[in-house]
Amino acid sequence: MTATATTVRADCAADPAGALTFDLAPAAAPGPEAVLLLRRRGAAGSRPGGTVRLPLSRSAPGRLRAVLPHSTVLPEGRWDAYVEEPGTERTLTVEPGLRDLRALVDRTPATGTATISSRVPYPTLDGRLAVRCWLRAPHAEAGAIRLGPSGMTVEGVLYGVTAGEGAVVEARLPGDPAQLHRVPLTASGGPGGFAFTLPYAPLVTAPVREEQLRQLWLVPSAGADAVRISRILDDVWSRKKSFVYPGRPAADGVSAAPCYTDDNDLCVRLTPGDPAAA
């Protein structure tokens, strides 16, 4: 028998603790055992941690509600939403409705928090509802980025580990460990606060013939494991195209600019060409 697919529209709201509430308006009433299914993209359905089932309850005429508690741990990744009716072959695709994510803006967990969790509902390119989840332990949250004529200064907050003697930030070129540049980390602001200034010129250690992304990692003390610098404590599920910074000269014929990846990890982009022309 071929499965029947219909759609459900879901409004989402977040609370300051990180819980998500989904209010669904089904096009056709699902059965009494229906659940909101979150399936991690790229994970097989039988793989542990690959699916989460949230019970649905009637909240108003024609409306069903599911709650994802903040205490429910979701592995990092992108989670697609469906409505599933156990015992049937009926699956309903969930489309995004209103998203009230004001509680996620500029979140500031206690600096003693060992594990940082962030979940942001968002619309996929093909019009479905998904949730982007991050789970970082420890975590370096990027804050303000100030651009200078030949480099940048970044402020942030470190969670789950304390910066100590020998703390540095590393600009790494993936796949080429020889192209590594370090700058010192300094304390800034309140508990866990950090800052660093990264000049662009030392990043150009070889001819740049195509775009390069230098990943930024924070090493909290000499010999400690590095922590990826990212920005995940707000309501932006992907900063790659929405946070665009101007290029500055890094070397003859090479421009540099801070940028974010699709996963909101902070990088420096090196690009061959004249930054003034760009």
Side-chain angles (χ1 to χ4, degrees):
M1 182 181 296
T2 302
T4 300
T6 57
T7 60
V8 174
R9 184 178 177 85
D11 298 333
C12 302
D15 72 10
L20 298 179
T21 299
F22 303 87
D23 283 313
L24 284 65
E33 302 300 320
V35 297
L36 179 67
L37 173 68
L38 298 178
R39 180 181 295 134
R40 185 154 55 108
R41 204 171 298 171
S46 59
R47 176 181 172 185
T51 59
V52 172
R53 289 175 169 82
L54 305 175
L56 288 164
S57 60
R58 194 163 299 281
S59 59
R63 303 282 289 182
L64 297 172
R65 173 170 291 178
V67 177
L68 176 65
H70 70 88
S71 57
T72 300
V73 177
L74 269 64
E76 184 160 331
R78 299 177 186 272
W79 294 71
D80 296 309
Y82 305 91
V83 169
E84 179 184 79
E85 293 186 87
T88 75
E89 296 187 14
R90 188 180 185 203
T91 300
L92 289 76
T93 300
V94 181
E95 297 178 345
L98 299 175
R99 289 176 295 121
D100 184 357
L101 306 180
R102 291 172 292 177
L104 301 181
V105 177
D106 295 327
R107 290 175 56 209
T108 52
T111 52
T113 304
T115 300
I116 297 298
S117 173
S118 180
R119 291 94 70 93
V120 182
Y122 72 97
T124 65
L125 292 177
D126 57 356
R128 296 177 293 110
L129 177 66
V131 180
R132 178 62 173 97
C133 299
W134 288 271
L135 193 64
R136 302 283 173 93
H139 170 59
E141 176 75 1
I145 299 176
R146 296 192 300 274
L147 303 182
S150 58
M152 67 181 192
T153 297
V154 179
E155 296 179 347
V157 179
L158 186 60
Y159 295 93
V161 68
T162 301
E165 186 176 353
V168 297
V169 167
E170 295 183 344
R172 302 177 177 180
L173 181 62
D176 189 349
Q179 296 203 49
L180 172 68
H181 181 66
R182 296 185 179 95
V183 294
L185 189 77
T186 60
S188 176
F194 67 82
F196 64 92
T197 297
L198 179 65
Y200 294 144
L203 302 182
V204 185
T205 57
V208 178
R209 297 185 174 87
E210 58 184 14
E211 180 181 285
Q212 295 180 1
L213 285 184
R214 295 296 183 104
Q215 298 178 347
L216 299 183
W217 294 78
L218 189 157
V219 182
S221 60
D225 291 336
V227 182
R228 191 71 169 90
I229 302 175
S230 310
R231 185 156 184 175
I232 60 176
L233 292 176
D234 56 21
D235 62 338
V236 182
W237 67 92
S238 177
R239 313 181 84 84
K240 182 176 181 178
K241 295 182 180 179
S242 56
F243 284 72
V244 179
Y245 299 91
R248 296 286 189 266
D252 288 343
V254 179
S255 66
C259 66
Y260 286 98
T261 68
D262 279 329
D263 293 322
N264 289 2
D265 295 328
L266 184 60
C267 296
V268 175
R269 177 187 291 112
L270 299 179
T271 309
D274 181 1

